[in-house]
Amino acid sequence: MSTATTTIEQLARQDYKYGFVTDVAAESIPRGLSEDVVRIISAKKQEPEWLLEWRLKAYRAWLEMAEPTWHNVHYGPIDYQDIIYYSAPKKKTLASLDEVDPEVLATFEKLGIPLNEQKALSGVAVDAVFDSVSVATTFKHALSDLGIIFGSFSDAVQQHPDLVRRYLGSVVPYTDNFFAALNSAVFSDGSFCFIPKGVRCPMELSTYFRINAASTGQFERTLIVAEEGATVSYLEGCTAPMRDEHQLHAAVVELVALDNATVKYSTVQNWYPGDKDGKGGIYNFVTKRGKCLGVNSKITWTQVETGSAITWKYPSCVLIGDNSVGEFYSVAVTNNRQQADTGTKMIHVGRNTRSTIVSKGISAGFGQNTYRGAVKIGAGARHARNYSQCDSLLIGDRCGAHTFPYLEVKNTSSTVEHEASTSKIGEDQIFYCRQRGISPEDAVNMIVSGFCKEVFRELPMEFAVEARKLLGISLEGSVG
Amino acid sequence: MLDITNLHARVASTEREILRGIDLTVKAGEVHAIMGPNGSGKSTLTGVLAGRGEYEVTEGSVRYDGKDLLELEPEERAREGIFLAFQYPVEIPGINNSYFLKTALNEVRRHRGEPELDAMEFMTLVRDRMAVLHIDQDMLNRPVNEGFSGGEKKRNEIFQMAVLEPRLALLDETDSGLDIDALQVVAHGVNALRAPDRAIVIVTHYQRLLNYIVPDHVHVLSNGRVVRSGGKALALELEERGYAWTDVDGDRVASTTVGAR
């Protein structure tokens, strides 16, 4: 399985001409956002009328909203008129790896990413080694034989408009928040995944598989639906450092699980975090939510966040179906000048619902890590159970960890547990390890892995191995 | 095995000189005791030998097995067989004792070109050492030193030493904070490690430990220099007469070596 997956990863990232609608002219539209821009985006993607209407409603709602300021992260004002909201999905091509930032290359080496992949990730033209079309197509056929739909959001709008229309915005309405409204108005592309009744998706789906794997959009929109009895595990992101000239990334991910269905959504995020002084770097403001609509349904979010200058996201679960389960396992790292305000919301509505939150925050350098969690038990949520564990690890003495847990309980038959701990890695501990023959890098890795093991255990196998390595790299030079 | 020549060292951040010209030679198979009043530089000496970053060597040299020790990183020194039993062992949450020790042991073994041990082999190897140092399985499963009493921490240090089998063991005030029973357990553990190819340097304030671990040589440190050296009888003299007896002003170093060097 893993060899096949690696091959697929290599191939899916190569530029290829198959299956791409080429009516897109190469011009880019001027900067700025207006109703016209929204119409242009929709027209270029040849979207049906109902979707254009939806975008426009979202845009008009956005105009009425104010950017939120309650967060515990600090950034300069974003000029929403200074962004290009549509550009042709063509990667910028460099001639060779020599043109790539050496620091980025060094990370590729450490992560053990093969040369061709390095080129693909950096936008360097790749020599065609394989017949990229046939192998990628084989997997697509295997999935479609089972009735599984997996591809780009834009393709889904064309090929399965009813499905998209039924579920789009049902978990994150465009009125939800400022960035969700913006995303709904101008979203570029993303993934669409539909698992029909009773089907267990036989492989982990990842963005690598997306046939139309264009450069990651600034406003990604993803929708995953698992019908009755279906299961799927989806991997988003990659461990390689993703650099993009866009500073703001405001994605929306919606998950829907019907009766007895299970959706697992795993993210490894390593966006460019900015330099040691905090200049540059990506703002990752994401709205992710899963709706456990069905009885006995289950949604699990697992994430390892090491990149971005600012991470602001709360993958959440709304537990509507009786006996439904929501889980959130997270490791968030802030080093140098990174900031994170992340956590989750578990909203218990149905009966006998259960939620588990395990959040591990690691701060190093001048990093500021905030956990913000909300557990809401509704009046009708009889016998709801929640367990939350929120641990912080501080490396060095200039970083910070903050915790804002909110518990709102309206049903007396529920059980809510919250545990929190804070610990520190200091030079003394590193020296102790060194004096026993362990190198400082291994020492930090060991301590951090020990700290994160409850979360790593929940990651899909491939990610777990990469995540460990990635953690080591993000924390390099953090001690001493 | 260990040749310290005219070693001068200071605290890096304040530039305060602590070691002012230490000369010391330790041969394999020997047990040396280093005594002296507070501030004389005893712990600094072991810290410098282990490679603690807070100290800077300003003059002199240290040769270990013919190699320049000061050129090596702390973990390299450890893999070459130098072990420091810390005066204040730190806690490391999240990593249990057995995993930590197995990792350390495998680093040493890999350096020596020996095969690494898996968890089962490791447990077999440590079993008898656990008995000697009264370490039970529960302690092994707990995070390194977490929640350990002072005595347990010191026993854990000697237990690690027994497993890692160093060539040069530096015991930094291993007896501080120990009751009689713990002292005997620790001493018994150290004595079990005496060997012709191993050297042990014990830093201590009190003569008491030296009743159990009898040294071949005793040195007195004062103001960053070795001011007296002798055999085990010297320790008893110090106990009776106090450190002032050896007190010397800065320049006049009365270094009477009795029966050793």
Side-chain angles (χ1 to χ4, degrees):
Chain A
M1 169 69 183
S2 34
T3 333
T5 316
T6 327
T7 317
I8 281 294
E9 287 171 13
Q10 283 178 333
L11 300 174
R13 294 224 201 88
Q14 291 177 9
D15 289 326
Y16 54 100
K17 312 100 201 166
Y18 173 79
F20 195 82
V21 178
T22 50
D23 65 342
V24 174
E27 94 268 30
S28 55
I29 62 176
R31 289 170 184 272
L33 182 55
S34 65
E35 213 168 280
D36 281 342
V37 169
V38 177
R39 286 178 193 279
I40 291 174
I41 293 173
S42 196
K44 287 213 178 290
K45 292 155 89 55
Q46 301 190 310
E47 289 176 347
E49 186 67 25
W50 62 266
L51 190 49
L52 169 61
E53 273 313 305
W54 193 76
R55 284 183 184 268
L56 288 171
K57 284 197 196 131
Y59 173 68
R60 290 168 197 145
W62 181 72
L63 287 174
E64 305 291 319
M65 293 180 182
E67 197 169 336
T69 50
W70 46 260
H71 47 73
N72 194 25
V73 290
H74 308 282
Y75 56 93
I78 297 174
D79 184 354
Y80 295 96
Q81 296 307 324
D82 192 29
I83 298 174
I84 298 177
Y85 288 92
Y86 183 84
S87 54
K90 203 172 63 129
K91 281 194 224 182
K92 195 169 55 172
T93 341
L94 302 171
S96 79
L97 277 174
D98 295 331
E99 297 186 30
V100 179
D101 185 327
E103 257 194 65
V104 172
L105 286 181
T107 313
F108 285 162
E109 291 292 331
K110 287 175 207 167
L111 287 170
I113 293 181
L115 218 48
N116 266 350
E117 260 193 51
Q118 292 190 25
K119 288 182 181 171
L121 290 168
S122 317
V124 177
V126 181
D127 325 305
V129 179
F130 306 98
D131 176 3
S132 61
V133 170
S134 54
V135 186
T137 321
T138 311
F139 274 83
K140 195 176 187 199
H141 283 154
L143 293 177
S144 68
D145 282 350
L146 290 165
I148 294 175
I149 302 166
F150 178 56
S152 79
F153 195 93
S154 304
D155 278 354
V157 169
Q158 302 300 327
Q159 291 153 21
H160 308 279
D162 296 331
L163 276 180
V164 175
R165 190 170 187 175
R166 190 183 313 163
Y167 292 107
L168 179 65
S170 67
V171 187
V172 180
Y174 55 74
T175 48
D176 194 87
N177 68 73
F178 185 83
F179 295 103
L182 180 60
N183 175 287
S184 302
V186 299
F187 70 85
S188 38
D189 205 338
S191 296
F192 177 77
C193 175
F194 177 83
I195 319 286
K197 282 200 227 316
V199 174
R200 303 178 66 88
C201 184
M203 63 188 77
E204 256 137 22
L205 301 181
S206 83
T207 39
Y208 305 156
F209 281 82
R210 247 171 50 201
I211 299 301
N212 243 349
S215 58
T216 311
Q218 187 173 12
F219 301 101
E220 288 239 311
R221 185 99 198 176
T222 292
L223 177 56
I224 298 181
V225 178
E227 282 199 322
E228 289 84 346
T231 64
V232 63
S233 173
Y234 180 88
L235 315 181
E236 174 208 319
C238 63
T239 51
M242 295 297 277
R243 280 184 95 124
D244 200 331
E245 60 272 14
H246 299 127
Q247 187 158 48
L248 171 64
H249 278 258
V252 171
V253 174
E254 296 178 282
L255 310 179
V256 179
L258 303 186
D259 290 354
N260 301 301
T262 304
V263 178
K264 183 170 195 166
Y265 191 102
S266 305
T267 308
V268 172
Q269 183 266 100
N270 187 21
W271 286 100
Y272 178 58
D275 62 16
K276 283 190 169 35
D277 301 311
K279 290 206 194 64
I282 289 177
Y283 298 168
N284 194 31
F285 299 170
V286 176
T287 304
K288 287 176 162 167
R289 194 169 303 148
K291 212 177 230 185
C292 284
L293 258 185
V295 168
N296 304 323
S297 57
K298 176 168 160 182
I299 291 181
T300 304
W301 297 98
T302 67
Q303 61 178 30
V304 176
E305 307 270 332
T306 63
S308 283
I310 304 187
T311 299
W312 190 11
K313 59 195 284 245
Y314 314 96
S316 304
C317 295
V318 185
L319 307 172
I320 296 176
D322 289 349
N323 312 325
S324 55
V325 173
E327 298 177 329
F328 174 77
Y329 296 95
S330 160
V331 169
V333 177
T334 50
N335 197 354
N336 296 318
R337 301 267 174 194
Q338 287 176 290
Q339 305 171 64
D341 190 325
T342 176
T344 182
K345 290 195 269 201
M346 293 291 174
I347 303 175
H348 295 248
V349 178
R351 291 169 300 180
N352 302 316
T353 54
R354 205 174 75 226
S355 62
T356 304
I357 298 173
V358 178
S359 163
K360 304 276 181 179
I362 303 174
S363 315
F366 292 91
Q368 294 296 322
N369 213 318
T370 299
Y371 165 80
R372 197 179 301 267
V375 176
K376 295 192 184 170
I377 314 256
R382 291 171 58 74
H383 301 119
R385 292 189 317 280
N386 161 266
Y387 170 74
S388 302
Q389 181 185 341
C390 145
D391 298 326
S392 302
L393 181 65
L394 300 164
I395 305 182
D397 51 15
R398 287 183 228 261
C399 48
H402 316 267
T403 306
F404 300 96
Y406 298 95
L407 303 175
E408 195 183 289
V409 183
K410 292 189 172 150
N411 186 295
T412 55
S413 67
S414 53
T415 310
V416 176
E417 266 182 76
H418 183 99
E419 283 181 29
S421 76
T422 309
S423 45
K424 189 171 178 251
I425 303 184
E427 281 198 53
D428 279 351
Q429 284 156 314
I430 302 295
F431 182 72
Y432 190 82
C433 293
R434 293 181 83 176
Q435 208 300 302
R436 299 301 189 246
I438 300 169
S439 73
E441 296 78 34
D442 286 348
V444 172
N445 265 337
M446 248 169 58
I447 296 174
V448 168
S449 287
F451 179 71
C452 298
K453 55 176 181 265
E454 284 146 300
V455 173
F456 283 169
R457 215 165 33 205
E458 302 296 326
L459 292 177
M461 190 68 120
E462 307 158 36
F463 262 177
V465 173
E466 287 184 49
R468 256 173 246 274
K469 269 194 260 175
L470 178 59
L471 226 45
I473 294 169
S474 346
L475 291 171
E476 248 169 35
S478 56
V479 184
Chain B
M1 187 194 286
L2 184 69
D3 249 298
I4 305 174
T5 313
N6 192 29
L7 186 63
H8 291 250
R10 65 184 182 192
V11 175
S13 56
T14 60
E15 297 193 353
R16 185 164 72 95
E17 211 190 13
I18 312 244
L19 302 181
R20 300 197 170 122
I22 302 264
D23 290 297
L24 190 67
T25 301
V26 177
K27 296 206 183 87
E30 296 180 338
V31 175
H32 290 242
I34 300 192
M35 307 179 74
N38 282 330
S40 54
K42 308 191 296 298
S43 287
T44 305
L45 177 58
T46 53
V48 168
L49 292 176
R52 285 196 101 120
E54 48 259 57
Y55 302 118
E56 241 168 34
V57 170
T58 50
E59 221 186 306
S61 70
V62 179
R63 298 205 76 76
Y64 171 71
D65 271 355
K67 294 193 197 58
D68 181 353
L69 185 68
L70 302 174
E71 284 289 298
L72 300 179
E73 295 288 346
E75 59 271 21
E76 291 171 327
R77 302 185 196 192
R79 293 170 198 162
E80 285 287 326
I82 297 187
F83 180 91
L84 172 63
F86 287 79
Q87 184 175 4
Y88 304 109
V90 289
E91 301 183 1
I92 306 182
I95 308 181
N96 66 35
N97 277 302
S98 69
Y99 179 73
F100 175 75
L101 196 48
K102 177 166 80 75
T103 306
L105 180 59
N106 282 333
E107 286 287 347
V108 170
R109 289 177 71 97
R110 190 170 45 197
H111 184 76
R112 294 202 289 239
E114 291 167 17
E116 293 183 32
L117 300 180
D118 65 28
M120 294 283 296
E121 291 162 337
F122 174 74
M123 283 314 300
T124 315
L125 185 137
V126 302
R127 206 154 283 146
D128 44 1
R129 279 106 163 153
M130 280 167 70
V132 170
L133 271 314
H134 296 203
I135 304 275
D136 57 28
Q137 187 64 43
D138 176 66
M139 274 174 82
L140 266 197
N141 293 337
R142 276 152 61 185
V144 180
N145 293 327
E146 198 177 75
F148 281 21
S149 68
E152 285 173 331
K153 285 185 181 174
K154 295 294 170 84
R155 274 190 286 126
N156 195 22
E157 293 294 291
I158 305 304
F159 170 62
Q160 290 180 21
M161 180 172 140
V163 171
L164 294 173
E165 297 180 328
R167 303 207 26 257
L168 172 64
L170 310 167
L171 310 186
D172 192 359
E173 308 228 17
T174 298
D175 53 343
S176 73
L178 291 185
D179 60 39
I180 297 286
D181 293 333
L183 190 64
Q184 288 183 346
V185 170
V186 162
H188 181 53
V190 174
N191 281 326
L193 289 163
R194 294 176 89 129
D197 58 350
R198 181 171 294 132
I200 301 177
V201 176
I202 305 174
V203 167
T204 180
H205 266 130
Y206 302 110
Q207 192 276 330
R208 187 181 60 162
L209 176 68
L210 304 178
N211 283 336
Y212 299 97
I213 310 176
V214 182
D216 303 307
H217 306 280
V218 176
H219 310 275
V220 182
L221 236 60
S222 178
N223 276 321
R225 289 198 187 93
V226 175
V227 296
R228 273 190 76 101
S229 293
K232 59 186 187 243
L234 178 55
L236 292 162
E237 277 196 75
L238 284 171
E239 187 87 337
E240 267 184 47
R241 301 161 76 166
Y243 285 118
W245 168 61
T246 62
D247 205 6
V248 289
D249 39 12
D251 298 318
R252 209 176 24 104
V253 175
S255 193
T256 339
T257 3
V258 178
R261 204 173 256 245

